[in-house]
Amino acid sequence: NSDGLHGGLLNAAGPLPLAKAASILFVFCLHNAWNCWTFLNICSDLDAARELFGKDDAELGLLNTIGLLGILCVMPFATFCKSPRTLLWLGAGMNIASPVLRFFGAKAHSYSVVILSFAVDGAAFGVLGIWPSILSATLFQEKRHALATAVALLSNWLGGALAAIITPVLTGGSGAGLLAMLQ
């Protein structure tokens, strides 16, 4: 049923040419990796975060909890949304807004704004998290579905791994370094 499945995303003529499908998948992977990078960058250097915000580990752990709640609140809605393309644009906007909020929250030493940025980041992943299978089914031949889905999913993990490795190097373990990195 291509008229309603995924909000009319399925191409009645079949999968896209491989180069075009791969290009779309690549852009999605950049957004997905960016999402996890921004989700984990503050908590990847707890010494710098403690110094910048004056918060203890439990309060900093709350940031990830709020982000996970954002995912859990939005993902069920995104899964059953009748207009996933519109929601994807909203998710992309949230993906862009989250680090901006985080920077202004950090610059103003406003822990509340930083908490909001984690909620927005989590909500963005609540939207992005449903798309790997949609993209593979929509854009690729069936023999490439598993590979396309895996690449799309693992791009999020890649962003998180880079945050965990690179953030401590960029911050130098200081609150000023964390603020400079967020800028």
Side-chain angles (χ1 to χ4, degrees):
N1 179 358
S2 65
D3 58 347
L5 188 59
H6 305 306
L9 284 174
L10 290 181
N11 183 357
L16 295 177
L18 184 57
K20 186 172 184 177
S23 297
I24 293 169
L25 181 64
F26 179 73
V27 171
F28 173 82
C29 287
L30 290 175
H31 266 280
N32 205 16
W34 175 252
N35 179 268
C36 199
W37 164 271
T38 60
F39 192 86
L40 294 177
N41 61 11
I42 283 182
C43 295
S44 292
D45 189 344
L46 288 176
D47 291 335
R50 281 187 214 102
E51 181 183 320
L52 182 61
F53 298 110
K55 302 294 181 186
D56 63 23
D57 288 356
E59 291 169 307
L60 293 173
L62 177 65
L63 297 173
N64 287 335
T65 302
I66 295 296
L68 290 171
L69 286 173
I71 295 169
L72 292 174
C73 289
V74 172
M75 194 172 271
F77 172 74
T79 301
F80 298 106
C81 179
K82 298 270 189 211
S83 183
R85 271 194 262 187
T86 302
L87 193 59
L88 182 61
W89 280 105
L90 179 63
M94 289 187 292
N95 213 26
I96 293 166
S98 170
V100 173
L101 281 170
R102 186 150 318 144
F103 167 69
F104 285 113
K107 187 156 177 84
H109 299 283
S110 174
Y111 184 66
S112 300
V113 174
V114 173
I115 286 176
L116 176 62
S117 78
F118 271 81
V120 171
D121 202 15
F125 184 75
V127 174
L128 293 173
I130 68 161
W131 275 85
S133 59
I134 294 173
L135 289 175
S136 66
T138 304
L139 303 177
F140 293 91
Q141 295 175 359
E142 189 173 348
K143 67 182 179 183
R144 293 192 174 96
H145 285 184
L147 177 62
T149 302
V151 168
L153 287 169
L154 290 174
S155 64
N156 188 264
W157 288 74
L158 178 62
L162 289 173
I165 294 167
I166 295 172
T167 297
V169 173
L170 293 177
T171 64
S174 73
L178 180 58
L179 184 59
M181 184 199 72
L182 293 174
Q183 189 172 11

